[in-house]
Amino acid sequence: MSKKDVDRLREKLPLPPLLMSLIQAGRWSNPGDEVMLRKIPFIHDPIIFLTTRESMDFNSGPLMGPDESEHAYFSEYRGALVGERELPWADVEKLIFIVVNERPGDDVGIALDYRTGIDTPRVIGMDWHSGKNCIYREISQSFEEFVELLEI
């Protein structure tokens, strides 16, 4: 499956209305690295909150190669090719990253995970500190809970 195919699948994923509202109001921003570390202890690196759908789509590409259907080191898979899996795996076809690493190469991110429902994505994050590879962990069961957690 090509990047173009994955992008087409991702285009059908709607952003939560609350996210759009926060962006439009200028309130969707990093509450600070100290707050992030306190609330989400496995996110250690400086991060950026993405403020446009274009930047979210651009940053939502998989870490694995375009010809791979799964990659254990990155805990990523393509659901259309492999089938459904649970966390710590992430289906790259059903993710939109809303927060990414500030420093190139850190490969840190927080994403909307639409495996829980097209209108009710949960929020998951990349954890590189739990072992030898990246795993995805649930941060909150909904975007609204994520906003409450960070007190945005």
Side-chain angles (χ1 to χ4, degrees):
M1 180 172 287
S2 71
K3 179 180 177 352
K4 196 174 194 177
D5 293 331
V6 171
D7 288 344
R8 267 187 290 218
L9 288 170
R10 195 177 297 117
E11 285 173 3
K12 297 177 183 170
L13 303 175
L15 295 178
L18 178 56
L19 175 57
M20 299 306 300
S21 172
L22 290 169
I23 289 171
Q24 290 170 352
R27 294 181 42 218
W28 178 243
S29 62
N30 185 345
D33 293 337
E34 316 78 42
V35 172
M36 293 299 293
L37 188 57
R38 190 172 66 250
K39 300 289 185 165
I40 311 168
F42 60 90
I43 301 290
H44 294 218
D45 302 297
I47 44 89
I48 298 169
F49 280 49
L50 302 172
T51 57
T52 66
R53 177 64 190 242
E54 293 77 21
S55 65
M56 293 173 192
D57 288 341
F58 178 79
N59 284 282
S60 292
L63 295 174
M64 66 179 160
D67 57 338
E68 294 179 282
S69 60
E70 64 183 329
H71 198 294
Y73 183 73
F74 299 125
S75 298
E76 294 181 340
Y77 71 99
R78 290 180 169 85
L81 300 175
V82 175
E84 199 66 29
R85 292 188 179 166
E86 295 298 321
L87 291 174
W89 287 85
D91 183 347
V92 298
E93 298 166 346
K94 294 183 180 177
L95 284 184
I96 296 179
F97 279 88
I98 55 175
V99 175
V100 296
N101 49 279
E102 182 178 300
R103 296 183 304 235
D106 281 350
D107 294 331
V108 174
I110 296 172
L112 299 171
D113 179 4
Y114 290 85
R115 290 178 292 179
T116 56
I118 192 79
D119 295 319
T120 57
R122 67 181 161 188
V123 179
I124 63 174
M126 299 170 76
D127 182 354
W128 286 96
H129 304 285
S130 64
K132 297 178 184 177
N133 61 332
C134 175
I135 64 168
Y136 285 83
R137 296 176 54 184
E138 182 175 277
I139 296 170
S140 63
Q141 293 181 357
S142 70
F143 181 73
E144 291 76 14
E145 280 185 23
F146 180 71
V147 170
E148 287 178 30
L149 173 70
L150 297 182
E151 301 173 11
I152 296 176

